[in-house]
Structures are given as structure tokens and as C-alpha cells.
Amino acid sequence: MEAQLRAFMERLFFPWLSYNDYTTHAPKRIPTAFIYTMNAPKEYLSRMESVFERIENTTTIFLQKPERIAAPNTTQVKDYDRYDMAGFSKEGKQKWRETHWEKDLQCAFDAGRLMAGKILTV
């Protein structure tokens, strides 16, 4: 987990932790979702599973188990020719985006809709 995310989560959950008995006192079990975007190819997702689980398990202690949306192989820049990034295939990145972008957006939208529906029942 990156330092910025860890710091954010600690500050978010800190007020709900009791130092009397080390239990949590979150006001509600709020629905959550995480959208993981990464430049790495889809095959890399399995290597990230333990990181995802650690983030989600911590969140589940205080809130609800998050929905997970993973969007791999994202593009870092608009024009790969302007940067020294020979390790990435410009054409491969573009083709991936063309074939997966709409699906990734729909998954995020569906997760938001599901989360909003749960919020109405909390």
C-alpha cells in the first residue's frame, strides 16, 4: 500500500478506534468501493491480490466490505512519443484502451450505483 493511501486511511478511521478496548465505533457500516487503476498489464493483478486484500480488510473493519473495480494497463500519457518509455508498447496500450475503456467505465458506474443503493438502506 502506498504511503499516501495508508496515511489517508489511518486519518479516516482513527476517530472510530477506541483506545479503551481497541474496538471500532464507526457511526454506520457505510458502503464503499475501491477503483484500482494501474499501468501494469492484467496479468499483474494476481500479484497485487494481497495488497488489495489488506486495503479492503482494513476498510471492512470500520465500514462495509468494499466493491472492487480493477482497471489494469491504463495509459500514463497521451503521447508516448514525447517520453522515454520504450518499455511500453504505444500501440498495445492504445489497443487495450480501445477495447477495455468502456467496460472499465461501466464497471465503475455499476459499482457506484450499487453503493448508492446500499447507502439508501443504511
Side-chain angles (χ1 to χ4, degrees):
M1 175 179 341
E2 290 190 19
Q4 289 175 325
L5 176 59
R6 183 180 182 105
F8 170 76
M9 290 178 70
E10 286 177 358
R11 294 299 93 203
L12 177 65
F13 299 139
F14 175 79
W16 300 326
L17 178 64
S18 169
Y19 283 118
N20 292 327
D21 54 8
Y22 295 100
T23 56
T24 63
H25 301 282
K28 294 181 180 180
R29 302 290 294 174
I30 301 168
T32 58
F34 283 101
I35 301 173
Y36 301 100
T37 60
M38 61 196 75
N39 306 323
K42 184 178 182 179
E43 297 76 29
Y44 192 76
L45 288 174
S46 63
R47 294 172 47 189
M48 295 297 296
E49 185 64 30
S50 63
V51 175
F52 297 157
E53 286 181 2
R54 189 168 58 242
I55 294 166
E56 293 164 9
N57 289 342
T58 300
T59 302
T60 302
I61 292 169
F62 295 93
L63 304 171
Q64 287 188 17
K65 180 166 179 55
E67 297 293 321
R68 180 189 300 178
I69 301 96
N73 209 17
T74 58
T75 54
Q76 299 96 319
V77 296
K78 289 182 180 183
D79 185 357
Y80 278 82
D81 293 331
R82 294 183 61 200
Y83 300 92
D84 186 16
M85 301 176 85
F88 294 103
S89 164
K90 172 183 170 181
E91 294 78 17
K93 288 280 191 181
Q94 187 60 37
K95 181 174 175 140
W96 179 271
R97 182 179 172 91
E98 289 170 3
T99 58
H100 291 86
W101 179 247
E102 291 300 324
K103 179 182 175 249
D104 290 342
L105 288 177
Q106 188 63 50
C107 286
F109 180 83
D110 292 344
R113 181 185 305 190
L114 181 62
M115 192 169 55
K118 288 179 182 178
I119 288 170
L120 294 174
T121 63
V122 173

